């Protein structure tokens, strides 16, 4: 086995400590950039591009003009819709460096495995006491598969529990090399209907359904379904996903994640329209009915994951 490459670097857009979701015990979630999907409801739209992106918060702007002078691409102009011309912006972050109020923030920066491990080590005692560890999310962690692999290997060497949040849209090699170092795969199945999947996520579900079999063979897997009204939140949709889960290897638990709008304001910061504005989250009665469907198929069902 090769030694761990601590100098491998990846694009990270957030690190959240003390999470009690997304795996056992107390965890640190490392959010990676890059996703081949573009789910219309995505709560992390800043994750999707595999490069740093700038956010602009109008409320904080005092119109000092420093960013305009700093931007060599001429991408900033108060007359632009959303302040920044995103066709010109290269995500260099020079504007954010000079902004005195924090109105401009760059999402995504290069970090080495060693730098991420330094962050993680701050909570090593907590991981040991609680049986927790690292969860790699995003974005899609399998996009930066070499970086994800090294982070997982380094974490396993410390004896920490490892998890990934994935939608398994990746090539076979990425699955085969990364999953053996994952203790728990929290794997989304968003819809069994290929047209619906394509319409709302930008890609067909064919590769995901194929890879789901392999993921479940390699490691302990929990199926997750973000339940989005008008997309995949009928009893028929959830029954179809539950039946599919039965064809996988040893799935015991399905998480239903009720649709939420926590990410809505981020779209504005990115100069994008939020396309799910009119969608209301499910009532507790409706989500309960979906839970019953899952349980009738013999699975444990957790609402919220
Ligand atoms: C941001 S994703 C990152 C991992 C991976 N890209 C995926 O989709 O599985 C993490 C989790 O958040 C869920 N999620 C994203 N947007 C959501 C929303 N608006 N409401 C409920 N769950 C959401 C996803 O379904 C996924 O289970
Ligand atoms: S990130 Fe760079 S290119 Fe983009 S607006 Fe700021 S300074 Fe200009
Ligand atoms: S530097 Fe910041 S506060 Fe000044 S104009 Fe640009 S965004 Fe606004
Ligand atoms: S797969 Fe995950 S990260 Fe990618 S767009 Fe969908 S919810 Fe967002």
């Amino acid at each position: 086995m090769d030694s761990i490459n601590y100098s491998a670097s990846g694009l990270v857009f957030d690190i959240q400590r003390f999470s009690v979701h997304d795996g056992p015990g107390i965890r640190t979630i490392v959010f990676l950039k890059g996703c081949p999907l573009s789910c219309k409801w995505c709560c992390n739209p800043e994750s999707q591009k595999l490069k740093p992106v700038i956010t602009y918060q109008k409320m904080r702007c005092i119109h000092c003009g420093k960013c305009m002078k700093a931007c060599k691409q001429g991408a900033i102009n108060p007359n632009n819709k959303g302040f920044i011309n995103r066709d010109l912006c290269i995500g260099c972050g020079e504007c954010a460096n000079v902004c005195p109020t924090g109105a401009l923030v760059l999402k995504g920066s290069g970090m080495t495995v060693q730098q991420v491990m330094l962050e993680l080590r701050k909570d090593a005692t907590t991981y040991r006491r609680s049986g927790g560890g690292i969860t790699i999310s995003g974005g899609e962690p399998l996009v930066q598969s070499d970086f994800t692999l090294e982070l997982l290997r380094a974490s396993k060497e410390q004896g920490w529990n490892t998890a990934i949040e994935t939608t398994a849209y990746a090539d076979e090699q990425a699955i085969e090399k990364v999953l053996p170092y994952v203790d728990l795969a929290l794997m989304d199945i968003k819809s069994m209907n290929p047209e619906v999947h394509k319409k709302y996520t930008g890609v067909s579900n064919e590769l995901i359904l194929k890879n789901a079999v392999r993921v479940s063979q390699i490691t302990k897997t929990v199926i997750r379904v973000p339940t989005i009204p008008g997309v995949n939140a009928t009893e028929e949709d959830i029954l179809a996903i539950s039946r599919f889960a039965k064809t996988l290897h040893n799935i015991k638990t399905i998480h239903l994640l009720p649709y939420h709008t926590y990410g809505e304001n981020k779209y504005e910061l990115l100069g994008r329209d939020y396309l799910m504005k009119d969608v209301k989250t499910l009532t507790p009665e409706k989500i309960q009915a979906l839970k019953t469907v899952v349980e009738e198929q013999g699975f444990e069902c957790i609402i919220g994951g």
Side-chain angles (χ1 to χ4, degrees):
M1 173 57 57
D2 297 340
S3 54
I4 295 160
N5 180 4
Y6 284 94
S7 59
S9 75
L11 265 181
V12 178
F13 72 91
D14 202 5
I15 295 181
Q16 283 177 13
R17 297 166 64 192
F18 304 114
S19 170
V20 288
H21 301 290
D22 308 315
I26 296 169
R27 317 190 66 81
T28 300
I29 310 187
V30 180
F31 290 91
L32 303 189
K33 293 275 291 173
C35 186
L37 278 68
S38 47
C39 306
K40 289 194 175 25
W41 57 85
C42 179
C43 61
N44 287 342
E46 75 276 40
S47 72
Q48 292 169 353
K49 286 203 170 125
L50 188 54
K51 62 173 196 176
V53 288
I54 199 88
T55 58
Y56 171 66
Q57 199 175 355
K58 200 175 170 184
M59 291 275 284
R60 285 179 174 242
C61 180
I62 54 168
H63 307 287
C64 67
K66 288 186 177 167
C67 54
M68 272 176 271
K69 283 189 200 124
C71 180
K72 294 184 182 68
Q73 307 302 315
I76 303 183
N77 187 321
N79 299 324
N80 289 337
K81 181 178 178 275
F83 200 60
I84 296 158
N85 182 335
R86 302 219 169 238
D87 293 333
L88 298 178
C89 175
I90 56 167
C92 66
E94 292 298 329
C95 54
N97 290 341
V98 297
C99 178
T101 64
L104 291 163
V105 176
L106 192 69
K107 298 287 178 183
S109 56
M111 286 183 87
T112 62
V113 170
Q114 187 162 21
Q115 285 169 326
V116 177
M117 288 303 286
L118 270 177
E119 274 305 298
L120 297 173
R121 280 205 188 95
K122 291 177 186 168
D123 299 314
T125 315
T126 321
Y127 304 153
R128 253 174 238 121
R129 284 201 189 128
S130 68
I134 178 177
T135 299
I136 307 185
S137 181
E140 170 52 61
L142 295 172
V143 167
Q144 300 189 55
S145 58
D146 289 333
F147 183 62
T148 295
L149 172 64
E150 297 303 324
L151 259 183
L152 290 168
R153 290 178 65 209
S155 300
K156 291 262 34 112
E157 195 180 63
Q158 298 297 317
W160 302 336
N161 182 275
T162 59
I164 61 169
E165 291 191 316
T166 179
T167 196
Y169 190 93
D171 59 36
E172 204 181 314
Q173 293 94 307
I175 305 264
E176 294 296 336
K177 79 180 171 198
V178 170
L179 267 297
Y181 295 93
V182 173
D183 294 317
L184 176 66
L186 297 161
M187 183 172 66
D188 262 34
I189 301 290
K190 301 178 205 285
S191 173
M192 291 305 292
N193 181 319
E195 284 88 40
V196 169
H197 203 282
K198 171 106 181 123
K199 179 174 173 191
Y200 288 98
T201 73
V203 303
S204 165
N205 59 3
E206 203 180 326
L207 181 63
I208 291 169
L209 301 182
K210 177 175 158 274
N211 284 341
V213 179
R214 192 65 192 122
V215 169
S216 69
Q217 283 168 346
I218 300 175
T219 193
K220 183 179 170 187
T221 303
V222 165
I223 299 295
R224 285 187 146 181
V225 189
T227 50
I228 318 292
V231 179
N232 67 350
T234 66
E235 293 184 25
E236 291 72 32
D237 289 314
I238 300 303
L239 180 60
I241 291 174
S242 303
R243 285 189 173 145
F244 173 70
K246 279 188 179 177
T247 69
L248 302 178
H249 184 75
N250 206 19
I251 304 292
K252 296 201 163 49
T253 305
I254 295 182
H255 292 172
L256 297 179
L257 310 179
Y259 169 66
H260 62 71
T261 56
Y262 305 152
E264 184 174 350
N265 76 316
K266 296 182 185 175
Y267 285 79
E268 198 187 330
L269 303 182
L270 292 163
R272 289 171 55 179
D273 293 327
Y274 186 60
L275 302 170
M276 306 293 281
K277 261 197 171 61
D278 300 328
V279 177
K280 301 269 172 293
T281 194
L282 291 173
T283 61
E285 293 73 33
K286 285 219 173 105
I287 195 86
Q288 201 55 47
L290 299 182
K291 182 174 191 265
T292 304
V293 170
V294 172
E295 288 169 345
E296 281 173 358
Q297 292 303 307
F299 296 105
E300 174 193 33
C301 181
I302 297 173
I303 295 172

